[in-house]
Amino acid sequence: MEANSVQEIAKICNNKETLEKFMYKNGYPESKTECVPLMENVIIDLSLLSSSSSSLQVDQEFSKLRSALTQWGCFQVINHGMTNEFLDKVREVTKQFFALPLEEKQNYSREMKQKDEKAINDWDGYGNDPVVYQHQTLDWMDRLLLTVNPEHQRKLQFWPRNPLPFREIIDEYALKVRTIFEFLLKATARSLNLEENCFLKEHGDLVTIFARFNYYPPCPIPENVLGQKPHSDTGTMTLLLQDEVEGLQVLKDNQWFRVPVVPQAIFVNIADRLEIMSNGMVKSAVHRVVTNSERERITVVMFCSPDYEREIGPIITDDKPPMYKKVVHYENLFFENYQFGKRALDTIRF
Ligand code: OGA
Ligand code: NI
């Protein structure tokens, strides 16, 4: 069962009844945005991390990375090799896709495919928050999901043909994201004084990258409705491109923080599989998205992960006992828990 497009609901909603399914009746924790402090701006300069020479500045950048990984589980990267103009193109084609008439977007819909192919464990396509239980509070967003890597697993029938440059630009963006991701995995290992390839090698030959294009319409009652409920991501790292509208928040020591908008930066958050592999050394960031009544918000998110078939577990590098059990298809465990507000990580902790 699928709810209607939230984008369409947002156009017509003038009563609380339509919004009922999206509402947290008493608001959500710290729902007043002005009460939520801005996150300390952790910006990592990738050009410094790639420097082969050791200098005070380079060492400082690695220790900044280390503290972001262990304390926040997230940071923003600059000097990543993509120009502002290119990032704007990625934002623009995404915006143009969501601006298409509903009927046209539905040509790529996940629901259609499920009817045709009875594929349930397949997420590619246009749609919104899947309803898995009756009293679920729905997220105020629509999304397009696409497998982008490995290339042979792409399902091109879901890749928009309109706007025309969509495929080419997203193809190029995905390639860049893969390079940055692999670079960051190595930098992460180095910052923790581990062998540089230790995380990358756990990914095997098939780095999986799954793209999610998120559309959050303006919401008439932002104090009661979330764009996305609190969650952590399932992969190893997530790379997120925001537009100029704020909305993302991260949890640190039981306190929510707003993620600042830095137009030229890519926001990176550590996801559960890397917390597992690192045996808890790095932290998978719990985050949520709030809504606002004024402006739509669009993000392009790339979830990077090992091949889902691979068993993953802590890579033990010192004499600490493993904190997590080994798992295969962690994403299934994740979705069994997610809609109930539970963390899959907690179910595999020793
Ligand atoms: C996600 C996510 C944040 C955002 O898609 O998993 O956390 O700001 N997105 O869109
Ligand atoms: Ni997320």
Side-chain angles (χ1 to χ4, degrees):
M1 185 173 65
E2 202 109 348
N4 293 320
S5 144
V6 179
Q7 193 172 359
E8 296 303 312
I9 293 173
K11 284 182 195 159
I12 51 153
C13 70
N14 40 20
N15 61 55
K16 287 220 161 176
E17 242 162 73
T18 352
L19 294 171
E20 195 69 28
K21 289 183 297 201
F22 299 90
M23 274 175 67
Y24 295 83
K25 302 293 174 305
N26 303 316
Y28 48 85
E30 296 176 62
S31 60
K32 293 264 179 302
T33 302
E34 39 308 356
C35 305
V36 179
L38 204 59
M39 177 190 166
E40 161 196 333
N41 213 354
V42 188
I43 298 202
I44 306 287
D45 182 342
L46 291 196
S47 66
L48 284 173
L49 299 187
S50 58
S51 158
S52 52
S53 60
S54 173
S55 69
L56 185 60
Q57 218 188 359
V58 171
D59 292 349
Q60 276 171 349
E61 210 62 14
F62 272 102
S63 56
K64 198 155 79 175
L65 176 63
R66 184 192 172 103
S67 87
L69 290 163
T70 53
Q71 291 170 33
W72 288 96
C74 63
F75 49 89
Q76 315 231 21
V77 296
I78 54 164
N79 291 329
H80 39 56
M82 289 184 281
T83 61
N84 283 346
E85 291 71 36
F86 179 67
L87 295 181
D88 279 342
K89 279 191 197 163
V90 177
R91 294 182 180 108
E92 194 53 33
V93 291
T94 308
K95 195 175 163 140
Q96 287 170 352
F97 170 74
F98 284 109
L100 295 176
L102 179 65
E103 300 71 47
E104 192 169 349
K105 285 179 291 205
Q106 281 176 335
N107 291 334
Y108 308 101
S109 104
R110 193 175 59 209
E111 234 186 359
M112 301 262 286
K113 176 200 53 188
Q114 288 185 359
K115 252 191 289 163
D116 295 350
E117 298 170 18
K118 300 203 168 38
I120 290 146
N121 244 344
D122 236 347
W123 299 295
D124 287 60
Y126 170 72
N128 49 22
D129 206 7
V131 179
V132 298
Y133 77 106
Q134 207 189 348
H135 300 294
Q136 177 183 330
T137 306
L138 296 178
D139 289 343
W140 187 258
M141 62 154 350
D142 296 327
R143 76 287 289 264
L144 170 69
L145 302 174
L146 300 175
T147 303
V148 296
N149 208 63
E151 269 186 54
H152 69 265
Q153 287 177 14
R154 289 184 182 181
K155 301 180 186 97
L156 284 178
Q157 69 270 35
F158 299 110
W159 286 57
R161 292 175 187 284
N162 191 4
L164 202 59
F166 184 96
R167 291 181 173 197
E168 193 186 318
I169 288 180
I170 298 310
D171 182 47
E172 188 178 343
Y173 183 62
L175 206 67
K176 293 274 176 31
V177 162
R178 183 174 173 183
T179 311
I180 298 168
F181 165 63
E182 296 187 356
F183 177 82
L184 281 173
L185 272 186
K186 291 189 195 173
T188 296
R190 269 181 74 184
S191 81
L192 300 171
N193 298 322
L194 302 171
E195 194 276 308
E196 185 172 73
N197 288 308
C198 69
F199 297 126
L200 191 54
K201 126 177 138 213
E202 294 298 306
H203 285 66
D205 297 329
L206 299 177
V207 170
T208 300
I209 304 181
F210 198 66
R212 182 157 138 157
F213 303 81
N214 293 325
Y215 179 85
Y216 306 95
C219 176
I221 43 167
E223 58 289 351
N224 291 88
V225 174
L226 280 171
Q228 273 195 56
K229 50 184 80 63
H231 67 281
S232 51
D233 298 335
T234 68
T236 38
M237 270 186 198
T238 303
L239 276 67
L240 172 134
L241 179 66
Q242 314 195 67
D243 63 8
E244 71 278 11
V245 182
E246 212 183 277
L248 180 60
Q249 301 187 344
V250 293
L251 192 67
K252 179 177 184 274
D253 306 326
N254 287 321
Q255 153 95 57
W256 288 103
F257 290 88
R258 283 146 54 216
V259 172
V261 168
V262 183
Q264 75 280 20
I266 303 286
F267 176 84
V268 179
N269 69 270
I270 301 307
D272 287 359
R273 278 180 170 93
L274 198 56
E275 177 166 332
I276 297 169
M277 287 178 187
S278 73
N279 203 25
M281 275 169 106
V282 302
K283 189 184 136 175
S284 167
V286 173
H287 52 283
R288 70 179 183 187
V289 179
V290 299
T291 52
N292 77 78
S293 57
E294 309 281 320
R295 300 181 70 185
E296 63 180 22
R297 177 168 182 267
I298 290 172
T299 58
V300 177
V301 188
M302 298 247 168
F303 302 103
C304 305
S305 167
D307 177 4
Y308 296 163
E309 304 286 335
R310 270 180 92 91
E311 183 180 71
I312 58 138
I315 313 168
I316 310 300
T317 49
D318 51 24
D319 28 289
K320 274 208 222 96
M323 284 171 63
Y324 304 101
K325 296 175 192 151
K326 291 185 177 168
V327 284
V328 194
H329 278 294
Y330 177 73
E331 67 288 348
N332 291 343
L333 197 62
F334 180 88
F335 287 109
E336 282 161 25
N337 288 279
Y338 169 64
Q339 293 293 1
F340 299 94
K342 295 202 191 115
R343 283 195 83 182
L345 262 190
D346 295 331
T347 68
I348 56 161
R349 227 184 279 275
F350 280 116

